[in-house]
Amino acid sequence: MNKKNFEIKTIFVFVTVLFTLFLIVPMCFVLIKSVMADSGGLGFEHYIDVFTSKGFLQAVGRSFLVSSVSAVITVVLAFIIAYAVNNTNLPNPLKKIISITTVFPMLLPTITYGFAIIYSLGKKGLITEFLGLNVEIYGFRGLVLGYVIYTLPIAFMLINNTFKYIDKKFIIVSRVMGDSPLQTFFITCIRPIIGTLGAAFVQSFFLSFTDFGIPAAIGGEYTVVASTLYNEMLGSAPNFGNGAVVALVMLIPSILSIILLNRLEKYNFRYNTSSNIGIEKNKVRDFIVGILSVVILICVLSVFVVIFIIPFVESWPYKKIFSIEHIIEFFKDTSLFKIYLNSLLVSLLTALCGTLIAYGAALVTSRSTLSRKSKQVVESIALIINTIPGMVLGIAFMLVFSGTSLRNTFFLIVVCNIVHFFSTPYLMMKNSLSKMCASWETTAMLMGDNWFKTIVRVVTPNAKFTIMEVFSYYFINAMVTISAVIFIVGARTMVITTKIKELQHYAKFDDIFTLSLLILATNLIVKGIFAFISKSQEKRKEKR
Amino acid sequence: MLELRNLRKSYGSNQVLNDISLDIQDCEIVSVLGPSGCGKTTLLNVILGITDITDGQIIFNGEDISEKPMEQRGFNIVFQDYALFPNLNAYKNITYGLKNNPNISTQEEVEGLINLLNLNEHLDKSINQLSGGQKQRVALARTLVMKPKLLLLDEPLSALDGVIKESIKERIKTIASEYKLTTIIVTHDPEEALTISDKVLILNKGEISQYGTPEEIINAPKNDFVKEFILKQLTIKKNNIFSLFGGNNE
């Protein structure tokens, strides 16, 4: 190897080998498994088997239906909230509260959403009793509600981000040109974000289609693709060949989504400037949008109230008396607390190693002189991962590594998480690194630094905030994920989310909600620590 | 002395530098002047050592350094955007190189530089609090602490306005004579080039159009390019200023 660029080449080779072993090879295994006849040799019997069974096509149809309906609702709600935050004169503290509460559900695993819905809106549920409702929530309705809660934060973040960069000056221009208020609304508000609205729809659809936690909790008899996939792999009569076929079917909408998302990019406006000129006074508008947003958020949050209540009640719904017995018992049960420690370990390792790998990969593409081909390799890895649902990755890992000594190890779970969530951290890092001055490395080298010293003394300190964001992204996602890890955990390496799935069979909902609370508390602490660090850093900067 | 011998640089079939040969004497200030795309930044990168040459030789004080890696040549550069490190304050930027090479400049020498560049009151400031001219001076100080054998400046004045431009120009001249530094300045502004340097190298389409003292270029332009693009601009400027002061332009 040429001595020049030795370090960055080493990183490139490491990243490529890692993703070849833990992404490309496993995915090829799924493909091979799907075309292997049980008798050995090639054959399409699994495809025929899966597609001729009546239940499967029905499940696909249901998945499409329920995901589309949820995505439409999500986008509308997310738009209202984003509009309230960006285009009204609501007081700033209220806007801040709205933004923060909207993304709150991200701190909890999706499987918890399902159980929270059951305990809120099911028969004898908290809200059911409080409002005297009687709605069937198992199946379609429950799924839609769960998916909307799950995808609202992501849709909101997408739309909010675009809204922020709309040049508000154009509202004034449109008004002085004599447009009617409705025309102004369409030209200056809807048109600039139409691409993002599309992207939010696609993203919500994709997430709902591939989510495992919500149908696992609340799907009931209403079978969707995700539940079929789980049953083929870990159900009472597993059939790995059929499972591989279902996994590949799940991959199709995912790939289509990514293609669509790239197409939608073109609809996005690029404003040269973003002048903040102030928003026109309109009390009626502010009032309506403000009330709507608050109502939406109260509805979302009310579903989660049960999580805070059930563990502290003696026997829900029969003996509604305050008691901390469950909590005491929970902490006495060392096996449950050990699972929490497992989750903590997995999340910390995922965040630590994942951040390093995303950082390394981003250095290759944005701060090195490696060939364009090498950079394209890294870019393609990120793109491929974006199209692969967690469940499919988990199944791929299960097929490749069962029978090896890696099976059920923490190592494998951590690697699986790192691969699964790689895209976003990588893009965050790349974005931040490519904005930095291009001449730093040359300058530092002329001052006597070697490559490593430059990274430590200059690049890393300036990427500090992004590194912290990436770390907390990896940590929180590793804490709440279930879709991939459900297929690769073992008895010794159980994490909280998979334990919740197990506890479902014993109907131990006190423990389920207590574990969920632990996840929530941990995520809040991590968020809090990073918020504190960046705040105090900023203050120090201001003082200087 | 820096000697360039038949320097060529091409990217694929695209010839960026073509047969560049010239000598730069010790302690000389040389400006490289030309329109964008003429190859002046490539020439700078080639001398610095970021970019490899396709053909030819670079000889410094009798030694062929064409193959020598950038960090061993002992040259240094101030980039157009200064490349100051925002995580460090002005003083830490200036003394950045001392961490790797503690003996390269003494404390007195560093203080001398800070005084010369008038940076005393800005040392504790973060980079974002500095004005353009202050940033330029910090970047200059940081580079000079390294005692370069050859100082390269990439468009050092283009980001500065009016009065500051003139004062930085004077400072560059003072530094070059005080530290006996051979200095190469890349610029696209003829006025800047002709007023700051001992010699001017005019590049056009990767080739030397003319290499001479400012007087030679004004009084004996070698070809139409020099006349059309360099002298014409200066004449228009001159006339504008004369008419502004109501004077006679002859």
Side-chain angles (χ1 to χ4, degrees):
Chain A
M1 211 186 280
N2 185 343
K3 213 180 162 232
K4 210 173 154 193
N5 284 335
F6 172 77
E7 298 89 348
I8 205 85
K9 278 177 187 160
T10 312
I11 295 175
F12 171 70
V13 170
F14 177 77
V15 169
T16 316
V17 169
L18 180 86
F19 285 100
T20 307
L21 284 181
F22 295 100
L23 175 71
I24 309 298
V25 170
M27 286 313 294
C28 291
F29 247 72
V30 177
L31 192 66
I32 293 167
K33 193 84 193 169
S34 77
V35 293
M36 248 182 9
D38 286 338
S39 50
L42 285 177
F44 287 97
E45 62 181 61
H46 295 302
Y47 284 86
I48 296 163
D49 207 16
V50 167
F51 280 99
T52 50
S53 73
K54 190 174 144 263
F56 178 68
L57 287 178
Q58 194 189 25
V60 173
R62 282 169 165 177
S63 269
F64 267 99
L65 179 72
V66 76
S67 307
S68 321
V69 172
S70 325
V72 170
I73 297 173
T74 301
V75 171
V76 173
L77 299 184
F79 173 77
I80 294 172
I81 299 173
Y83 187 90
V85 171
N86 291 286
N87 268 22
T88 64
N89 290 316
L90 291 173
N92 276 330
L94 180 63
K95 286 184 177 178
K96 210 164 188 187
I97 291 172
I98 291 176
S99 313
I100 291 173
T101 11
T102 310
V103 296
F104 163 81
M106 290 181 102
L107 303 178
L108 282 164
T110 53
I111 194 163
T112 303
Y113 302 1
F115 296 127
I117 292 171
I118 295 171
Y119 266 68
S120 300
L121 292 164
K123 288 191 182 76
K124 302 254 172 205
L126 184 70
I127 300 174
T128 315
E129 302 232 308
F130 188 70
L131 296 176
L133 295 168
N134 187 18
V135 210
E136 177 57 46
I137 44 114
Y138 286 94
F140 185 80
R141 288 202 191 109
L143 287 176
V144 169
L145 182 57
Y147 290 152
V148 170
I149 295 174
Y150 170 38
T151 54
L152 188 62
I154 291 119
F156 167 73
M157 290 199 304
L158 280 169
I159 299 171
N160 189 39
N161 201 33
T162 310
F163 248 128
K164 242 190 262 170
Y165 294 106
I166 292 180
D167 194 336
K168 307 280 190 302
K169 212 162 46 201
F170 285 83
I171 300 177
I172 311 289
V173 174
S174 166
R175 299 293 283 159
V176 294
M177 290 300 183
D179 284 346
S180 71
L182 201 66
Q183 275 175 315
T184 302
F185 177 72
F186 275 101
I187 290 173
T188 63
C189 181
I190 298 291
R191 180 59 193 90
I193 62 161
I194 198 92
T196 307
L197 289 180
F201 174 84
V202 174
Q203 194 70 266
S204 304
F205 176 88
F206 165 73
L207 287 169
S208 305
F209 197 93
T210 58
D211 176 61
F212 170 69
I214 294 164
I218 202 172
E221 301 291 306
Y222 195 89
T223 321
V224 290
V225 176
S227 17
T228 315
L229 187 49
Y230 178 77
N231 287 333
E232 292 286 6
M233 302 304 289
L234 297 176
S236 46
N239 183 332
F240 289 177
N242 287 4
V245 174
V246 180
L248 291 174
V249 170
M250 192 185 245
L251 211 53
I252 295 168
S254 318
I255 293 171
L256 288 179
S257 302
I258 297 304
I259 295 171
L260 259 174
L261 282 178
N262 285 333
R263 286 273 159 88
L264 285 166
E265 271 279 283
K266 292 196 188 107
Y267 285 89
N268 283 344
F269 268 44
R270 295 239 168 359
Y271 286 99
N272 300 325
T273 52
S274 147
S275 48
N276 215 339
I277 196 158
I279 293 146
E280 233 187 321
K281 264 190 195 158
N282 185 340
K283 291 226 161 119
V284 181
R285 172 201 62 197
D286 291 2
F287 182 76
I288 295 174
V289 185
I291 291 287
L292 276 176
S293 309
V294 171
V295 168
I296 295 167
L297 292 173
I298 288 177
C299 289
V300 170
L301 291 187
S302 66
V303 171
F304 292 106
V305 171
V306 279
I307 303 177
F308 299 92
I309 295 179
I310 306 292
F312 301 99
V313 165
E314 195 170 320
S315 167
W316 187 273
Y318 310 107
K319 253 185 161 179
K320 293 177 192 163
I321 323 167
F322 175 80
S323 140
I324 52 163
E325 204 147 297
H326 295 302
I327 303 291
I328 293 170
E329 246 170 65
F330 177 92
F331 283 101
K332 266 192 202 154
D333 185 349
T334 49
S335 71
L336 279 178
F337 195 71
K338 193 164 166 286
I339 283 162
Y340 171 69
L341 293 181
N342 283 354
S343 267
L344 210 56
L345 177 75
V346 165
S347 302
L348 277 175
L349 285 176
T350 303
L352 213 62
C353 306
T355 306
L356 273 177
I357 290 165
Y359 190 19
L363 281 173
V364 170
T365 47
S366 53
R367 299 207 77 85
S368 81
T369 49
L370 291 194
S371 68
R372 258 185 58 198
K373 264 197 187 141
S374 322
K375 292 184 181 182
Q376 266 164 7
V377 169
V378 179
E379 291 285 338
S380 319
I381 291 171
L383 192 69
I384 292 171
I385 288 171
N386 235 338
T387 67
I388 295 181
M391 281 188 91
V392 177
L393 188 68
I395 284 164
F397 268 52
M398 181 182 170
L399 291 175
V400 176
F401 299 106
S402 57
T404 68
S405 56
L406 285 178
R407 185 171 169 255
N408 296 350
T409 53
F410 282 125
F411 172 80
L412 203 60
I413 298 172
V414 169
V415 172
C416 181
N417 281 339
I418 290 173
V419 172
H420 181 186
F421 298 109
F422 176 74
S423 278
T424 305
Y426 164 72
L427 291 175
M428 282 156 82
M429 287 298 337
K430 193 180 93 172
N431 197 13
S432 151
L433 291 179
S434 55
K435 273 187 199 147
M436 291 177 185
C437 171
S439 325
W440 281 352
E441 279 91 340
T442 309
T443 306
M445 205 178 264
L446 287 168
M447 306 281 165
D449 273 0
N450 56 31
W451 180 84
F452 188 71
K453 262 193 184 170
T454 312
I455 295 298
V456 172
R457 290 180 66 189
V458 180
V459 181
T460 307
N462 287 300
K464 192 165 51 186
F465 289 107
T466 314
I467 291 172
M468 289 196 291
E469 268 178 64
V470 164
F471 186 94
S472 90
Y473 179 91
Y474 255 128
F475 183 90
I476 288 169
N477 275 295
M479 209 67 194
V480 300
T481 188
I482 181 168
S483 58
V485 291
I486 186 90
F487 297 102
I488 50 177
V489 293
R492 205 176 41 81
T493 53
M494 194 65 99
V495 290
I496 295 181
T497 48
T498 57
K499 185 70 186 175
I500 289 179
K501 175 81 185 114
E502 194 187 277
L503 290 168
Q504 181 188 12
H505 293 294
Y506 307 105
K508 291 195 132 184
F509 287 97
D510 315 316
D511 290 342
I512 286 178
F513 290 132
T514 313
L515 285 169
S516 303
L517 279 181
L518 272 179
I519 292 183
L520 179 66
T522 311
N523 284 341
L524 280 175
I525 289 170
V526 169
K527 282 239 149 193
I529 290 174
F530 284 124
F532 177 77
I533 295 176
S534 28
K535 262 247 171 86
S536 57
Q537 292 270 358
E538 258 166 44
K539 259 190 200 154
R540 232 177 58 188
K541 237 186 195 170
E542 268 167 33
K543 256 189 197 165
R544 236 200 259 156
Chain B
M1 188 168 76
L2 181 75
E3 303 161 63
L4 308 182
R5 296 275 163 268
N6 308 97
L7 224 60
R8 263 175 230 283
K9 176 68 194 177
S10 51
Y11 294 99
S13 60
N14 182 17
Q15 187 90 271
V16 188
L17 292 176
N18 193 9
D19 201 22
I20 306 278
S21 294
L22 58 91
D23 295 344
I24 294 174
Q25 304 299 328
D26 288 342
C27 313
E28 248 178 359
I29 299 184
V30 173
S31 283
V32 183
L33 176 64
S36 54
C38 71
K40 54 188 192 299
T41 304
T42 309
L43 182 64
L44 192 79
N45 288 346
V46 159
I47 295 172
L48 182 63
I50 308 178
T51 310
D52 295 332
I53 48 176
T54 312
D55 208 6
Q57 276 180 313
I58 305 172
I59 298 159
F60 186 68
N61 291 342
E63 183 197 356
D64 185 348
I65 57 162
S66 315
E67 303 284 318
K68 228 181 187 182
M70 173 181 81
E71 57 275 27
Q72 286 169 27
R73 291 188 188 182
F75 301 168
N76 216 318
I77 187 169
V78 176
F79 284 106
Q80 192 175 357
D81 55 11
Y82 317 132
L84 294 171
F85 306 132
N87 57 309
L88 306 172
N89 65 19
Y91 183 73
K92 282 182 177 158
N93 263 285
I94 294 170
T95 53
Y96 189 93
L98 291 179
K99 289 263 163 62
N100 297 312
N101 260 318
N103 302 321
I104 202 154
S105 287
T106 62
Q107 190 59 39
E108 291 77 46
E109 285 170 322
V110 174
E111 273 162 24
L113 267 171
I114 292 170
N115 283 329
L116 178 69
L117 288 163
N118 226 342
L119 284 168
N120 274 310
E121 51 187 314
H122 307 303
L123 294 177
D124 291 333
K125 286 187 185 163
S126 87
I127 297 308
N128 303 324
Q129 289 170 305
L130 299 175
S131 70
Q134 290 161 354
K135 282 183 190 161
Q136 173 69 273
R137 271 142 54 199
V138 171
L140 261 173
R142 179 176 69 176
T143 306
L144 292 172
V145 166
M146 300 304 291
K147 295 195 176 156
K149 297 178 193 155
L150 184 78
L151 177 64
L152 300 158
L153 303 172
D154 187 5
E155 299 273 3
L157 306 172
S158 66
L160 307 174
D161 43 31
V163 186
I164 297 167
K165 210 176 214 172
E166 294 305 321
S167 85
I168 293 273
K169 221 150 97 180
E170 285 313 307
R171 271 213 231 260
I172 291 173
K173 280 188 184 170
T174 317
I175 286 164
S177 68
E178 197 137 309
Y179 291 86
K180 298 193 174 41
L181 257 176
T182 313
T183 309
I184 301 177
I185 299 171
V186 161
T187 174
H188 64 270
D189 181 352
E191 185 197 338
E192 211 175 287
L194 290 157
T195 52
I196 201 173
S197 18
D198 302 315
K199 271 186 170 172
V200 178
L201 169 68
I202 298 172
L203 284 183
N204 184 28
K205 293 176 183 154
E207 292 181 20
I208 296 182
S209 199
Q210 185 166 5
Y211 180 45
T213 62
E215 293 74 31
E216 283 168 352
I217 286 168
I218 297 281
N219 299 322
K222 231 174 161 183
N223 50 44
D224 283 350
F225 176 76
V226 178
K227 276 184 211 153
E228 277 299 308
F229 290 90
I230 313 295
L231 293 187
K232 207 173 173 186
Q233 238 192 87
L234 286 172
T235 315
I236 293 170
K237 258 193 186 170
K238 184 182 95 179
N239 292 344
N240 281 345
I241 288 175
F242 267 114
S243 71
L244 210 62
F245 285 99
N248 190 334
N249 59 4
E250 288 308 316

